[in-house]
Every structure is written in structure tokens, then in C-alpha cells.
């Protein structure tokens, strides 16, 4: 197991890397969702973790990738998921100024859209809750300080998409970032209870799917 200093150092560097690199990408480029979420995001978000884990001499179980507590993970995610699904609808309203109940699937199959949301959730939750939150929690020794700190960073990571891609006005961006941060708190909470990253992944999908469906 890595020491506390190394844990906080690696988590901080990885978070800064994501903010700079992914933020720069959001500023300069806009490719189809399938390319971004299936190819670019796993490369940018997950590949560095391979090197970090090798450097730390830890396995994927340190990211919460395990079959232990799988059923509690599902129960926790379903419980909070119902709340965050409602939150996502509110976020949709903040984004458009009205409830747009029109499926955003175009010529896509619904199952492909759900699959895309799972891929997105996998990349983001492994990176944030599995790695960043897990390391900061170990370093600080206080779950809630680690939760609030990393959830604030989680919100900041979403500033570029709100500003450069969605081009939200100030009030809508504030609401969006607030709700996104609240989701981060909930996601870290269920992960802390189960130590299983799939709880956060399931919760992420339940939160994100209404956004995909109604945006």
C-alpha cells in the first residue's frame, strides 16, 4: 500500500492532468459523442491510471473493481439513483430553460445510448471515485473532507463542457455545476459504503440517462 504523501501527490497530479488536458480538448475540439466517449475519454482518463497503478504497485482492486459487495452496490445505487434521476431532469431544465421531453437518440437505438452512458460512467467513476477519491480519503483519513474536496474538483472538471460545448449562460452554468457537484458527493458516498466502484457506475448511469434522453 502506498503511503499518504504519495497517495495525495498522485491524486492531485492526476486531477490537474484531467482538468488541463480534458479542458483543453473541450476548448478546441468537438467530435461525435461516440468518438469522445468510446475512444478519447478512455485513452485520456484511463490509460494514465495503468501507469500510476504500476508505479504504486497496486492492482485494479485498489480502484474498487471487485465483485465484493456487488448486491449492496446495486441497492445503494438504485436508492440514490431515483433521487439523482430527478436531479438530472432539473439539470435539463437549467440547461434549456424548459422541460424538453424529446428523446435525444436521433437514429440511434436506445440500447446504444444506454451503452454509451455506461462507458462514460466507467471512465469517469474509475478515475474520480475509484482513484482520486480513494487516494485522497486514504491520505486525509477523513471520508467527508475527502468527499467534499474531490467532489468540488469533479464540479470544476465539468466547467469546460458547460462553457465551451453547451455554452450555458451564467445562471444555468451555476445550477449545472452545483447539481454535478452534488452528484459527486452522492457517488463518493455510495462508493465509501460499498468499496465497489460499480455502485458509483450504476448511480452515474441513473443520473446521466435522463440528461441523455431529454437533452
Amino acid at each position: 500500500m502506498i503511503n499518504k504523501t504519495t497517495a495525495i501527490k498522485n491524486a492531485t497530479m492526476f486531477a490537474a492532468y484531467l482538468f488541463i488536458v480534458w479542458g483543453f480538448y473541450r476548448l478546441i475540439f468537438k467530435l461525435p459523442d461516440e468518438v469522445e466517449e468510446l475512444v478519447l475519454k478512455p485513452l485520456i482518463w484511463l490509460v494514465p491510471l495503468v501507469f500510476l497503478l504500476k508505479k504504486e504497485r497496486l492492482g485494479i482492486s485498489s480502484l474498487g473493481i471487485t465483485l465484493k459487495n456487488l448486491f449492496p452496490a446495486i441497492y445503494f445505487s438504485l436508492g440514490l439513483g431515483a433521487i439523482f434521476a430527478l436531479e438530472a431532469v432539473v439539470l435539463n431544465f437549467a440547461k434549456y430553460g424548459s422541460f424538453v421531453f424529446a428523446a435525444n437518440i436521433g437514429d440511434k437505438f436506445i440500447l446504444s445510448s444506454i451503452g454509451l452512458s455506461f462507458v462514460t460512467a466507467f471512465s469517469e467513476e474509475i478515475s474520480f471515485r475509484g482513484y482520486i477519491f480513494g487516494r485522497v480519503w486514504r491520505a486525509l483519513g477523513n471520508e467527508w473532507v475527502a468527499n467534499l474536496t474531490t467532489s468540488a474538483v469533479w464540479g470544476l472538471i465539468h466547467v469546460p463542457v458547460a462553457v465551451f460545448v453547451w455554452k450555458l449562460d451564467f445562471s444555468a452554468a451555476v445550477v449545472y455545476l452545483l447539481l454535478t457537484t452534488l452528484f459527486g458527493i452522492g457517488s463518493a458516498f455510495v462508493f465509501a459504503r460499498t468499496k465497489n466502484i460499480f455502485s458509483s457506475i450504476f448511480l452515474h448511469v441513473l443520473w446521466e440517462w435522463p440528461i441523455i434522453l431529454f437533452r
Side-chain angles (χ1 to χ4, degrees), residues 15-27 29 44-45:
Y17 157 82
L18 288 179
F19 183 77
I20 295 170
V21 175
W22 193 245
F24 181 79
Y25 169 80
R26 289 298 195 189
L27 173 63
F29 303 102
I44 294 173
W45 290 55

Side-chain angles (χ1 to χ4, degrees), residues 87-95 162 168-183 207:
E87 178 198 320
V89 176
V90 173
L91 190 156
N92 171 264
F93 181 87
K95 181 180 176 183
L168 300 180
D169 60 36
F170 180 77
S171 60
V174 169
V175 172
Y176 167 72
L177 295 173
L178 175 61
L179 294 178
T180 299
T181 301
L182 288 175
F183 163 76
W207 174 73

Side-chain angles (χ1 to χ4, degrees), residues 63-65 125-126 129-130 191 195-201:
L63 303 174
I65 301 177
E125 295 304 322
I126 289 289
R129 258 55 67 174
F191 179 67
K195 308 298 190 300
N196 188 314
I197 198 61
F198 292 106
S199 61
S200 294
I201 292 173

Side-chain angles (χ1 to χ4, degrees), residues 57-187:
R57 298 181 180 179
L58 295 174
I60 59 174
S61 61
S62 70
L63 303 174
I65 301 177
T66 177
L67 294 178
K68 294 180 180 179
N69 298 322
L70 183 59
F71 287 108
I74 295 174
Y75 301 148
F76 269 110
S77 61
L78 287 177
L80 271 182
I83 297 173
F84 283 121
L86 293 176
E87 178 198 320
V89 176
V90 173
L91 190 156
N92 171 264
F93 181 87
K95 181 180 176 183
Y96 295 104
S98 62
F99 292 112
V100 183
F101 296 105
N104 180 45
I105 55 177
D107 58 357
K108 303 175 187 175
F109 291 109
I110 291 179
L111 287 179
S112 67
S113 296
I114 295 176
L116 189 65
S117 68
F118 265 104
V119 173
T120 299
F122 185 85
S123 297
E124 295 186 355
E125 295 304 322
I126 289 289
S127 299
F128 252 87
R129 258 55 67 174
Y131 190 84
I132 296 175
F133 168 67
R135 268 50 177 186
V136 173
W137 184 10
R138 168 172 172 73
L140 299 181
N142 185 302
E143 176 193 336
W144 279 105
V145 173
N147 186 332
L148 295 175
T149 302
T150 58
S151 295
V153 177
W154 166 256
L156 289 175
I157 288 288
H158 288 79
V159 170
V161 71
V163 175
F164 303 130
V165 179
W166 292 348
K167 301 185 186 302
L168 300 180
D169 60 36
F170 180 77
S171 60
V174 169
V175 172
Y176 167 72
L177 295 173
L178 175 61
L179 294 178
T180 299
T181 301
L182 288 175
F183 163 76
I185 294 171
S187 184

Side-chain angles (χ1 to χ4, degrees), residues 33-54:
D33 290 345
E34 292 82 357
V35 175
E36 289 185 347
E37 303 302 331
L38 296 177
V39 179
L40 293 178
K41 184 168 285 184
L43 284 175
I44 294 173
W45 290 55
L46 297 181
V47 169
L49 292 182
V50 175
F51 295 98
L52 285 171
L53 290 180
K54 184 177 180 180

